[in-house]
Amino acid sequence: MVTQPTADRFSTTLRLPRSARSVGRARAAFRADAASWSLPAEDGDTATLLLSELLTNACRHARVPRDRYVEARWTLDRSGGLLRVEVSDADRRPPKPRRAGPDDESGRGLELLALLAGGWGVDPRPGGIGKTVWFELKLPDGRGVESP
């Protein structure tokens, strides 16, 4: 785990094995950062849920060799009150939205992003290997931007 604080920005990057256990590790690390930043509980819970969805998709659906890693990064911009979360994997294919039925146990991740995030998207990774799926949450009234 790499944490890179500056005067107005705090950022953490995790490089994780592509496995279900990595999702829990990333959630725990994010929650620790959110607490140290005094992020409002509702915003922290939303970001944790969406981070989990993106990482689960990267671990479950990326068509790459099993030994490839995923990367999770979250950055808080204190001056703008903006939280950005990114998950990168080595598969170039963008995620495809689908409609989950009422009895489906999965398939709602991108719907949740569209409903809960202030914005989200997919960008190619530098060097052309893979993609980064990201979302942003605007923190109302500049809350949750205290120095750790």
Side-chain angles (χ1 to χ4, degrees):
M1 181 165 74
V2 177
T3 302
Q4 300 170 327
T6 64
D8 289 327
R9 291 174 64 100
F10 303 94
S11 183
T12 297
T13 302
L14 296 174
R15 186 171 183 237
L16 302 159
R18 214 168 50 90
S19 77
R21 284 187 294 240
S22 293
V23 177
R25 286 182 54 206
R27 271 196 310 261
F30 175 79
R31 285 184 182 137
D33 280 351
S36 75
W37 298 335
S38 300
L39 205 66
E42 184 176 325
D43 296 319
D45 291 346
T46 297
T48 301
L49 171 65
L50 297 179
L51 168 64
S52 296
E53 290 294 333
L54 293 185
L55 265 173
T56 298
N57 284 349
C59 291
R60 187 178 290 170
H61 300 296
R63 289 189 195 161
V64 296
R66 196 74 195 139
D67 63 343
R68 293 290 182 136
Y69 284 79
V70 294
E71 185 175 278
R73 175 189 310 249
W74 45 89
T75 303
L76 175 66
D77 178 353
R78 283 181 26 178
S79 63
L82 186 70
L83 175 66
R84 182 178 174 102
V85 177
E86 304 172 347
V87 173
S88 300
D89 64 54
D91 188 348
R92 288 184 219 185
R93 297 173 307 130
K96 291 183 181 179
R98 71 178 193 109
R99 279 254 190 250
D103 295 329
D104 290 345
E105 294 181 10
S106 64
R108 293 176 182 81
L110 296 180
E111 286 183 53
L112 288 171
L113 273 177
L115 287 170
L116 300 175
W120 74 277
V122 182
D123 296 323
R125 287 175 69 191
I129 299 175
K131 67 183 172 301
T132 297
V133 183
W134 57 268
F135 68 86
E136 294 178 337
L137 295 176
K138 181 76 172 158
L139 304 176
D141 303 325
R143 295 179 301 155
V145 293
E146 297 175 20
S147 296

